[in-house]
């Protein structure tokens, strides 16, 4: 048997991380009829000083929008900016061929917000973090009107 070295790295080199990612993408591309190509998407809100006061960061992959982060400055919350960020991202994703969206949130964050916008829970991790839950939600964008 060949000897291998296992290393645990808290701050791995970005080239090493990319090597692992590129190998799984290569495997996926050889295994599926759809190419494993993801593209980034963001929707930003800037004030008159060009400072970011809200934003959504995600990616589009295999016909799905994944919302990684959505944040609105505390002074602007409750005024519809979060809704606008999410709907604009959904519309852009829909225009890029996406039929679905998914995201995750925690029990101390914005579960009700996402549910009001049509997202449905498909999974829950209990005690993540301890005493809370992590919710995984999805939405069918085909049923949404963006006009």
């Amino acid at each position: 048997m060949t000897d291998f070295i296992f290393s645990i790295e808290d701050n791995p080199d970005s080239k090493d991380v990319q090597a692992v990612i590129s190998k799984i993408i290569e495997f996926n591309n050889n295994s599926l009829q759809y190419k494993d190509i993801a593209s980034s998407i963001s929707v930003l809100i800037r004030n008159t000083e060009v400072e970011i006061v809200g934003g959504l960061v995600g990616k589009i992959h295999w016909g799905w929008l994944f919302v990684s982060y959505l944040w609105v400055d505390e002074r602007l919350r409750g005024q519809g900016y979060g809704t606008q960020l999410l709907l604009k991202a959904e519309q852009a994703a829909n225009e890029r061929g996406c039929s679905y969206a998914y995201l995750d949130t925690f029990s101390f964050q914005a579960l009700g917000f996402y549910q009001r916008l049509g997202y449905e829970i498909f999974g829950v991790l209990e005690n993540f973090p301890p005493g809370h839950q992590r919710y995984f939600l999805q939405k069918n964008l085909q049923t949404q009107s963006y006009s």
Side-chain angles (χ1 to χ4, degrees):
M1 183 171 176
T2 305
D3 290 330
F4 294 99
I5 300 169
F6 288 81
S7 62
I8 298 173
E9 301 176 20
D10 292 328
N11 296 300
D13 186 285
S14 61
K15 288 182 274 187
D16 294 339
V17 172
Q18 190 56 47
V20 173
I21 293 169
S22 66
K23 292 300 182 181
I24 191 67
I25 290 172
E26 180 182 325
F27 173 84
N28 292 347
N29 285 337
N30 291 330
S31 302
L32 299 170
Q33 72 183 57
Y34 304 103
K35 292 296 178 197
D36 190 345
I37 300 170
S39 59
S40 298
I41 186 169
S42 62
V43 181
L44 303 172
I45 305 171
R46 298 178 189 270
N47 63 17
T48 55
E49 290 82 37
V50 196
E51 174 188 34
I52 294 174
V53 294
L56 178 148
V57 176
K59 72 177 181 177
I60 292 173
H61 195 211
W62 286 328
W64 284 76
L65 165 65
F66 172 60
V67 177
S68 304
Y69 302 99
L70 191 154
W71 168 79
V72 174
D73 186 281
E74 193 171 337
R75 297 166 292 182
L76 301 177
R77 292 181 190 157
Q79 299 176 47
Y81 292 106
T83 298
Q84 290 181 54
L85 285 168
L86 192 54
L87 292 178
K88 287 180 186 302
E90 289 175 3
Q91 181 176 5
N94 188 268
E95 291 168 358
R96 290 163 173 80
C98 290
S99 299
Y100 306 96
Y102 71 107
L103 53 84
D104 62 89
T105 191
F106 296 94
S107 55
F108 57 88
Q109 289 181 329
L111 177 62
F113 166 76
Y114 294 116
Q115 289 177 310
R116 284 190 296 280
L117 291 172
Y119 284 80
E120 298 176 348
I121 296 170
F122 69 87
V124 181
L125 287 177
E126 297 293 336
N127 287 310
F128 188 78
H132 295 279
Q133 297 78 36
R134 184 173 188 175
Y135 293 95
F136 298 86
L137 299 99
Q138 64 183 353
K139 181 179 181 178
N140 184 336
L141 301 181
Q142 297 170 326
T143 61
Q144 181 77 37
S145 172
Y146 295 105
S147 44

